Amino acid sequence: MQEGFLKEQSVLEGDLNSDTSHKSSVDYLMNWFRGHSIFVLAYGTGCGAIEMPPTFTSRYDAERLGIRGSATPRQADVIIVSGYCSYKTLRRIIRTYEQMSNPKYILALGSCTINGGMYWDSYNTIKKLEDYIPVDMYVNGCMPRPESILEGFIELQKEIKNGKASSWEKYEKNYEFYRKNQERVLGNIVKPAYEADWYLYDGGV
Amino acid sequence: MRFVNIILSFIFSVYTVKLFDTGTIWQLSLGNYGFNGLVIGLEASALSSLFAIMVSLSWFIISITILKSDKKDISFSRWLPLLSFSLLLIVYASDYLLFFIGWEVMSITTYIILSNTLSKDALIKYIIFAMASALSILMAIVILYSGIGSLLYVDGHLSFLALNSNLRVALVVFMLLGLFIKMGTIGFHYWLVDSYQQADNLFSAYLSAVLSKMAIYALIVFLIEVVKIEYSIGLSYILAIIGVTSSIIATFKAIKEDDVKRLLAYSSIAQLGYILTVLAVANGLGGAIYHSIIHTMVKLLLFINIAGVITITGRSKLSQLGGLIYKMPHSFVMALIGIIVLAGMPPLGGFASKYLIYTSLLDSKFLLILSAMMFASVSSFLYVYKLIYGVYLGQPTHKKLESVKEVSIWYLIPQYLISLSLIIIGTYPALVVPYLNKILTQLNQTEIPYQNASILSANIGSYNGEVVMFAFIGIFAIVLLFLYSINSKTKEAKDRFDIAYCGEEPTVNTPLHYGYSLGKELERVGFIKIIWKNSSSHFYDFLAKSTINISTITRKLYSGNLTINFHIAILFAILILWLGV
Amino acid sequence: MVGGIKMVLIDLLMMFVVAYFVGFLYYGLYRNITARFQRRFGPPIWQSFYDSIKFFNKDDSTSHGAMFFLGPVIMMTGSVITLFFIPFFKDSQHFVGLSEYGNLFVVLYLMVLGALGNALAVGVSGNPFGVMGVTRGLSRLFAMELPFYIAVIALMSINGSADIATIASNQTTLNAFAYPLLFIGAMFSFIGMMGQSPFDVVGAPVEVYSGPAVEFSGKFLAILMSQSAIFSFAKLTLMVNLFLGGASGFLELLVKTFILFLFVIAFGSIYGRFKTPQSIDFLLKVPTLIAVVGLILAS
């Protein structure tokens, strides 16, 4: 792991601060609309997902803020990484994240995404999610209660409306950095190949 | 043979158009040859001319495709002129003798053509059913002759009235039996599906488009001229119920099929069921003829399309095709137009004929039959979508399908012509109505009201095809422009595996062409399970077994002992002579 | 004649705007009312507008080729052209659209044009989950339409005309009370057509990975949502014209469509979802029987 936690962050965020994401009043208006209509991908990646159903249903009603669930990554804006990420889950998260359309945000729940949390010495989980995909908002706790998640969403809304939540641009600009880290833990990420042998016999599917 | 076909078909197309509704061509009285009162002749009435134009134009369209096809695909083209001549003889005949001669030549020529490619089982099925149909029609003709001794169509109703009621029932039963076999009504369709599937690809087009219409022509002549069906309500109801049942059962059987040509064969049976139903209704003749025209065109289009796909890929099952849309874009667009017309959707031409059919049924108050027919028509969306999804959409199921090319232009030219005509008929649905009105006046039916070429009217209401088409095009253009001009970019998917697949990455071995078995879960619905489990082969097997059993029993009468047989024969002779006297 | 065409175009534009606005408003109200059934508050009633504007302003949308691009266009065309052939008011010169050039048969068949566009776009994307959803939709279609067709055929036969405005104006007592069995049969179909439980298996979001909408992102999804709203309003207006006596003014139209909409979503909030063969089985037995008995009694 590279040393210098804070130095890394400033390197990454250095040239992005000059790029203010809302340039005109139209952009401000669009960001306002984006903040008030958030579609969350229905994907519970870790043990923090147990707190998601109460948040989105009648008990703690996140729909008041305009937040609703969405089944496919094509329709979703936010993906919630709820808790620890094993390598197996990380691969699916990355693939799903790349299928979402910009602008997209990541909300990371729990202390496992910040520094490994309860699984700080596990052989099978990643310790710092920021190395692999860019995160917009952390909600710490283990696991954070629905009230905390709602507060995280409200903060995320404020960031979106200010135009500061631009993690997708960060991902595109620093793609090699993220890709190197991903390949280091996941091995050679194999894309589907055309040249593989067609094992289908002549009778069809 | 290719040039002979195309030149002859072109000459005959021009000739049949010139001959439209010109009256008697030729007449011969056979009284000179010893058959008193028997007159035969050829007549170009309006109905005959319309069907003759359909025959020769279909012949011409198929000849265009034959021009540059491979030799092994067109072995039937040697016999095509003879077959077309026999069809023209059927259509132009004005009496039942020449009609029957044409019918027999048609059956036998078709047998010769089919014997090249059909398996032995399918061929035997075809010829037995064709012979049964011909003999049944011959029986009906003989009964009709016994009325007043004339075989002309114009004397048909007088002959019918001259029979007593038992013979009338026999006449109707025999004639309808023969025609139902040729039309492929469910129950008598045992031969049809295998023949369409195993024939040459282009000959299946001819079979479905033209040969089935001969049965329709004969049915029109029989029901409207001879029997005058508007006076018998009982027969109307029976025929309408048979037609609707045939449509519903054939539609659901089509949903289950995996082979493309079998699917289209069942679809033909369903469409002919609609025509049978509306013929049975008073004032339904206009809708029946319009639907025949549209059905001929759309089946030619779809079969030629499928013939192109099969020639290029070598496969004819939906589970082995898939994903051809961007390799064969022209074929896809033609198939899409064919699908929309087959399902009967506005703004294209298929809706016009369905509209006339529905309004005729509504006017005659056959309301439950109309509901069942609309049900069958909506169910056809399933097999129509299955056809286009299994061949063009979805994902390819084999490596070979990733490197196919578009079909040759000679397959595409007929499809362009037919699609253009269907679009024009959709925009101006009443173009055909003046000619339909000529036929209706000649046969003493009420005419279809006609204002101009774009408004198709019926008693219950009318619609303007031009407005529908232009509204469709206008809204389509506006929405397309809007979608283009929005700021958000269109990002193309990286390859065919870039689909939202629950976070997984599908590979080459994942079976992604899921929809080829569309409709399988319908087996859990009650009446569909009944339709799919039973088949007419059960009935015919039962018939064959009972015949064998009865023959086994009667064979035992021959005990091998001659004296006993002699005594039995004398006993029977005495009985017959006693009862006869 | 030029003035005539201009009037017609302005008429059509106004109809589109009203349908868009009211349709989205009804969707917002739907989320609010469903939330109240579930003992919570819902989003603000303008939420559907926010969603639609957000999707139109996504930076990119994934497409699978030209046919995928055209699919939502065909869906929107189908919804809008259905809207144009249904008159809003029964005895007025304005807001009748193109209904004098078409009739009820044309409207019934134009309603399935949108489903065709959806099926084509989903098929070309090659996603098996999408085709699964489309299969369910097409299977449910033929069973769902049958009671509705029987009721519509009965109404056409009683009124002797296929024109929607005529059927709407001929009702001295509302058709819903004069022919109650027909109305009940048609309502079963209508609940399915509005996409409510128990017949809403097509778009079951998490059950079948969002069914037919699985590959649509960004602006394509926005077009999908817009056409859904416009189509719902068109269907509501059609039912009001056929069974609830049409409308003579905006207030009457809004009140009647809202009552119908409220009933449908209340029904949908309570019931669970039938599987596809179960819904086909049910729709072909009970509502069809009710509609057939209604047809026989009415003619």
Side-chain angles (χ1 to χ4, degrees):
Chain A
M1 291 302 292
Q2 297 188 15
E3 305 247 28
F5 174 88
L6 290 169
K7 175 174 170 232
E8 223 168 67
Q9 286 296 96
S10 59
V11 161
L12 288 177
E13 295 184 47
D15 42 29
L16 280 183
N17 269 333
S18 55
D19 177 356
T20 51
S21 286
H22 77 258
K23 306 180 186 70
S24 66
S25 56
V26 174
D27 272 334
Y28 180 72
L29 197 63
M30 292 309 143
N31 282 334
W32 191 90
F33 282 122
R34 284 175 186 159
H36 274 264
S37 151
I38 299 183
F39 277 40
V40 176
L41 181 66
Y43 183 18
T45 54
C47 46
I50 192 74
E51 303 286 356
M52 277 166 59
T55 315
F56 292 111
T57 53
S58 290
R59 189 72 176 96
Y60 293 97
D61 198 17
E63 203 176 358
R64 291 176 283 180
L65 306 172
I67 304 171
R68 55 170 272 194
S70 138
T72 85
R74 302 277 187 212
Q75 303 171 3
D77 300 321
V78 170
I79 179 168
I80 293 186
V81 179
S82 51
Y84 71 92
C85 274
S86 59
Y87 295 152
K88 189 164 91 169
T89 324
L90 181 68
R91 188 180 180 135
R92 273 84 184 158
I93 292 177
I94 292 170
R95 173 123 176 99
T96 313
Y97 180 69
E98 290 179 351
Q99 279 183 334
M100 290 162 63
S101 46
N102 299 331
K104 49 196 175 185
Y105 318 102
I106 295 189
L107 188 74
L109 301 183
S111 27
C112 296
T113 54
I114 302 179
N115 57 6
M118 196 161 76
Y119 304 105
W120 62 274
D121 58 352
S122 161
Y123 56 88
N124 201 28
T125 63
I126 57 169
K127 309 300 176 301
K128 184 168 154 210
L129 190 60
E130 184 73 36
D131 281 339
Y132 303 96
I133 45 178
V135 176
D136 277 301
M137 182 65 54
Y138 288 99
V139 181
N140 54 357
C142 181
M143 305 149 242
R145 275 189 58 86
E147 292 97 334
S148 311
I149 301 181
L150 281 178
E151 190 175 337
F153 269 117
I154 294 177
E155 290 294 315
L156 183 65
Q157 271 188 350
K158 284 196 200 141
E159 293 260 305
I160 296 175
K161 286 194 250 186
N162 290 337
K164 295 239 184 70
S166 55
S167 61
W168 79 92
E169 290 175 355
K170 206 195 298 186
Y171 190 71
E172 279 175 13
K173 285 210 169 104
N174 300 299
Y175 187 63
E176 288 79 27
F177 169 73
Y178 288 112
R179 180 79 180 183
K180 206 155 50 85
N181 285 338
Q182 290 163 8
E183 278 182 5
R184 191 180 49 223
V185 288
L186 295 178
N188 193 11
I189 298 184
V190 178
K191 284 253 187 278
Y194 290 105
E195 289 80 33
D197 244 348
W198 285 79
Y199 298 123
L200 299 167
Y201 59 97
D202 210 356
V205 179
Chain B
M1 209 54 209
R2 313 161 187 242
F3 293 109
V4 170
N5 258 316
I6 196 157
I7 293 176
L8 272 180
S9 58
F10 186 68
I11 295 177
F12 268 93
S13 305
V14 172
Y15 199 44
T16 45
V17 171
K18 266 178 51 174
L19 271 183
F20 185 77
D21 197 16
T22 46
T24 316
I25 307 177
W26 171 73
Q27 208 164 13
L28 175 65
S29 163
L30 290 180
N32 307 339
Y33 303 97
F35 299 99
N36 280 337
L38 196 55
V39 177
I40 61 175
L42 298 174
E43 179 186 356
S45 66
L47 180 68
S48 310
S49 331
L50 189 66
F51 275 86
I53 295 177
M54 269 163 44
V55 168
S56 36
L57 280 179
S58 312
W59 185 16
F60 179 62
I61 294 229
I62 293 191
S63 318
I64 300 180
T65 316
I66 289 179
L67 263 183
K68 292 280 188 183
S69 305
D70 283 336
K71 236 187 174 61
K72 62 177 166 51
D73 288 332
I74 54 162
S75 56
F76 68 97
S77 62
R78 274 171 277 166
W79 299 100
L80 206 54
L82 181 58
L83 186 54
S84 306
F85 288 157
S86 69
L87 294 186
L88 288 174
L89 181 59
I90 293 180
V91 162
Y92 276 135
S94 66
D95 67 289
Y96 272 112
L97 183 58
L98 286 181
F99 168 85
F100 188 70
I101 294 176
W103 192 268
E104 280 290 293
V105 176
M106 167 183 86
S107 300
I108 295 180
T109 322
T110 315
Y111 175 75
I112 298 177
I113 294 178
L114 288 178
S115 62
N116 262 336
T117 44
L118 255 60
S119 71
K120 187 153 165 263
D121 279 337
L123 198 58
I124 292 180
K125 278 196 269 195
Y126 169 76
I127 194 61
I128 288 184
F129 274 84
M131 285 297 114
S133 146
L135 289 175
S136 193
I137 293 180
L138 184 61
M139 189 74 192
I141 293 177
V142 164
I143 296 180
L144 193 66
Y145 179 72
S146 73
I148 57 172
S150 159
L151 285 177
L152 288 172
Y153 291 161
V154 294
D155 295 332
H157 193 57
L158 293 170
S159 309
F160 183 70
L161 291 174
L163 300 168
N164 66 20
S165 74
N166 286 339
L167 277 180
R168 280 188 208 176
V169 169
L171 166 70
V172 167
V173 166
F174 279 119
M175 187 58 135
L176 287 182
L177 194 67
L179 292 177
F180 281 172
I181 291 178
K182 218 41 175 187
M183 248 171 43
T185 319
I186 289 284
F188 310 102
H189 72 288
Y190 193 38
W191 64 276
L192 195 144
V193 183
D194 285 327
S195 303
Y196 280 30
Q197 178 195 8
Q198 299 176 21
D200 291 315
N201 299 330
L202 289 171
F203 189 61
S204 303
Y206 196 82
L207 271 176
S208 173
V210 183
L211 254 59
S212 48
K213 301 302 172 301
M214 295 298 109
I216 296 290
Y217 170 77
L219 196 65
I220 291 178
V221 164
F222 183 65
L223 286 181
I224 307 287
E225 281 197 73
V226 175
V227 171
K228 288 221 190 295
I229 196 158
E230 56 256 28
Y231 297 135
S232 74
I233 297 287
L235 188 58
S236 289
Y237 266 110
I238 294 177
L239 283 183
I241 292 180
I242 292 178
V244 161
T245 318
S246 171
S247 295
I248 293 181
I249 294 181
T251 308
F252 283 105
K253 275 192 187 286
I255 292 175
K256 198 186 179 198
E257 283 296 334
D258 193 31
D259 188 306
V260 177
K261 288 166 74 173
R262 286 181 78 98
L263 196 151
L264 286 175
Y266 275 116
S267 157
S268 302
I269 298 178
Q271 303 286 325
L272 289 170
Y274 298 155
I275 301 180
L276 172 63
T277 310
V278 79
L279 262 182
V281 163
N283 296 327
L285 185 58
I289 300 180
Y290 204 161
H291 199 64
S292 313
I293 301 175
I294 299 275
H295 180 244
T296 307
M297 296 206 294
V298 80
K299 275 292 158 25
L300 273 177
L301 175 65
L302 282 175
F303 266 110
I304 294 180
N305 198 316
I306 289 295
V309 170
I310 297 179
T311 314
I312 294 276
T313 58
R315 296 140 175 264
S316 68
K317 281 191 184 295
L318 290 175
S319 53
Q320 295 175 352
L321 289 166
L324 294 175
I325 171 173
Y326 294 122
K327 313 281 187 313
M328 307 166 94
H330 295 265
S331 295
F332 171 71
V333 174
M334 295 297 114
L336 185 62
I337 293 180
I339 293 295
I340 294 181
V341 173
L342 189 59
M345 279 198 261
L348 290 182
F351 180 68
S353 62
K354 288 261 167 72
Y355 183 76
L356 269 185
I357 292 180
Y358 293 154
T359 47
S360 316
L361 283 172
L362 198 58
D363 275 336
S364 324
K365 302 284 185 188
F366 278 71
L367 295 177
L368 286 174
I369 305 254
L370 175 60
S371 322
M373 181 180 279
M374 286 184 91
F375 173 68
S377 179
V378 169
S379 313
S380 73
F381 291 149
L382 263 169
Y383 69 74
V384 143
Y385 180 68
K386 184 174 179 161
L387 177 64
I388 201 162
Y389 176 85
V391 178
Y392 292 103
L393 307 175
Q395 308 255 4
T397 51
H398 195 267
K399 187 177 190 176
K400 271 195 229 145
L401 294 170
E402 298 241 319
S403 54
V404 296
K405 289 204 187 12
E406 180 65 87
V407 294
S408 83
I409 191 74
W410 296 101
Y411 276 94
L412 287 176
I413 289 180
Q415 296 181 50
Y416 289 148
L417 287 174
I418 300 182
S419 318
L420 195 60
S421 328
L422 286 171
I423 294 177
I424 293 179
I425 289 188
T427 317
Y428 299 105
L431 260 184
V432 192
V433 170
Y435 306 103
L436 291 182
N437 278 341
K438 274 198 204 137
I439 301 178
L440 291 173
T441 343
Q442 273 187 3
L443 293 172
N444 295 326
Q445 308 275 313
T446 46
E447 295 191 348
I448 301 173
Y450 174 73
Q451 294 158 278
N452 60 32
S454 38
I455 301 185
L456 185 60
S457 336
N459 278 343
I460 205 123
S462 64
Y463 83 97
N464 191 330
E466 207 176 356
V467 168
V468 175
M469 176 64 92
F470 284 131
F472 182 84
I473 295 178
I475 302 173
F476 191 86
I478 292 178
V479 179
L480 193 61
L481 277 174
F482 175 68
L483 210 51
Y484 256 129
S485 60
I486 293 185
N487 243 340
S488 105
K489 294 196 295 300
T490 309
K491 189 173 72 169
E492 290 291 332
K494 289 196 269 298
D495 52 38
R496 73 178 179 97
F497 293 115
D498 187 10
I499 56 178
Y501 201 64
C502 296
E504 301 287 336
E505 296 149 15
T507 63
V508 145
N509 300 329
T510 325
L512 288 174
H513 189 53
Y514 167 76
Y516 73 89
S517 63
L518 216 144
K520 250 199 203 157
E521 78 273 7
L522 290 174
E523 198 164 15
R524 299 201 203 132
V525 179
F527 84 98
I528 300 181
K529 184 158 81 166
I530 297 177
I531 293 179
W532 282 354
K533 269 203 148 105
N534 298 324
S535 146
S536 54
S537 60
H538 298 164
F539 171 70
Y540 289 111
D541 282 344
F542 165 74
L543 205 60
K545 282 209 186 69
S546 336
T547 318
I548 294 179
N549 287 341
I550 294 179
S551 325
T552 324
I553 294 177
T554 50
R555 182 189 73 80
K556 295 214 170 86
L557 287 174
Y558 178 68
S559 58
N561 193 340
L562 283 170
T563 37
I564 298 189
N565 293 331
F566 190 57
H567 291 160
I568 293 178
I570 302 255
L571 187 63
F572 269 118
I574 294 175
L575 266 174
I576 290 175
L577 284 172
W578 181 43
L579 286 175
V581 168
Chain C
M1 199 48 208
V2 175
I5 291 193
K6 252 201 278 191
M7 286 307 296
V8 168
L9 285 178
I10 295 180
D11 206 20
L12 294 177
L13 187 62
M14 293 301 296
M15 282 174 82
F16 175 80
V17 167
V18 165
Y20 187 88
F21 189 73
V22 176
F24 269 173
L25 200 59
Y26 277 6
Y27 261 87
L29 281 170
Y30 158 64
R31 284 170 78 173
N32 256 298
I33 295 174
T34 316
R36 298 295 200 278
F37 277 131
Q38 296 170 1
R39 292 188 80 193
R40 58 185 174 94
F41 302 103
I45 55 175
W46 312 107
Q47 185 62 36
S48 300
F49 291 102
Y50 300 164
D51 290 338
S52 173
I53 295 178
K54 177 200 75 173
F55 276 120
F56 272 124
N57 284 292
K58 282 268 193 182
D59 279 350
D60 52 48
S61 333
T62 317
S63 147
H64 291 263
M67 185 71 234
F68 191 82
F69 198 93
L70 291 178
V73 179
I74 297 180
M75 291 174 80
M76 186 65 147
T77 311
S79 308
V80 172
I81 201 173
T82 313
L83 178 77
F84 283 167
F85 275 96
I86 300 177
F88 281 12
F89 306 132
K90 57 186 171 188
D91 45 13
S92 133
Q93 290 286 50
H94 299 286
F95 284 101
V96 289
L98 302 169
S99 58
E100 52 184 335
Y101 299 109
N103 56 31
L104 196 45
F105 278 122
V106 178
V107 169
L108 284 179
Y109 264 84
L110 282 174
M111 291 206 300
V112 288
L113 205 54
L116 173 74
N118 195 6
L120 286 175
V122 161
V124 91
S125 72
N127 196 327
F129 298 111
V131 176
M132 210 189 291
V134 162
T135 310
R136 295 177 169 202
L138 286 173
S139 311
R140 187 196 62 160
L141 180 74
F142 68 81
M144 184 176 74
E145 298 279 5
L146 184 59
F148 193 69
Y149 283 168
I150 297 178
V152 159
I153 290 170
L155 282 181
M156 282 197 283
S157 161
I158 294 167
N159 285 291
S161 153
D163 189 26
I164 302 180
T166 319
I167 298 180
S169 359
N170 274 354
Q171 298 177 40
T172 43
T173 56
L174 302 182
N175 276 341
F177 303 123
Y179 307 105
L181 290 176
L182 290 178
F183 182 58
I184 295 176
M187 275 309 277
F188 277 110
S189 294
F190 189 63
I191 290 175
M193 287 204 269
M194 294 292 284
Q196 295 295 327
S197 305
F199 306 122
D200 70 339
V201 72
V202 178
V206 192
E207 199 181 287
V208 74
Y209 209 51
S210 168
V214 66
E215 282 292 322
F216 292 112
S217 55
K219 57 186 177 185
F220 304 121
L221 188 62
I223 296 269
L224 228 82
M225 290 165 60
S226 312
Q227 72 92 27
S228 180
I230 295 176
F231 202 29
S232 303
F233 187 70
K235 285 186 276 204
L236 282 167
T237 317
L238 180 66
M239 276 299 270
V240 163
N241 276 331
L242 287 178
F243 285 105
L244 293 181
S248 312
F250 259 121
L251 191 60
E252 197 180 344
L253 182 66
L254 287 178
V255 164
K256 285 187 179 172
T257 47
F258 187 68
I259 293 176
L260 208 53
F261 187 63
L262 194 60
F263 176 74
V264 165
I265 60 179
F267 205 84
S269 312
I270 303 173
Y271 281 95
R273 208 175 268 152
F274 278 171
K275 296 195 300 191
T276 320
Q278 280 178 334
S279 48
I280 297 176
D281 216 16
F282 175 75
L283 282 168
L284 284 177
K285 287 190 188 145
V286 174
T288 312
L289 197 59
I290 295 178
V292 164
V293 171
L295 172 75
I296 297 179
L297 287 179
S299 59

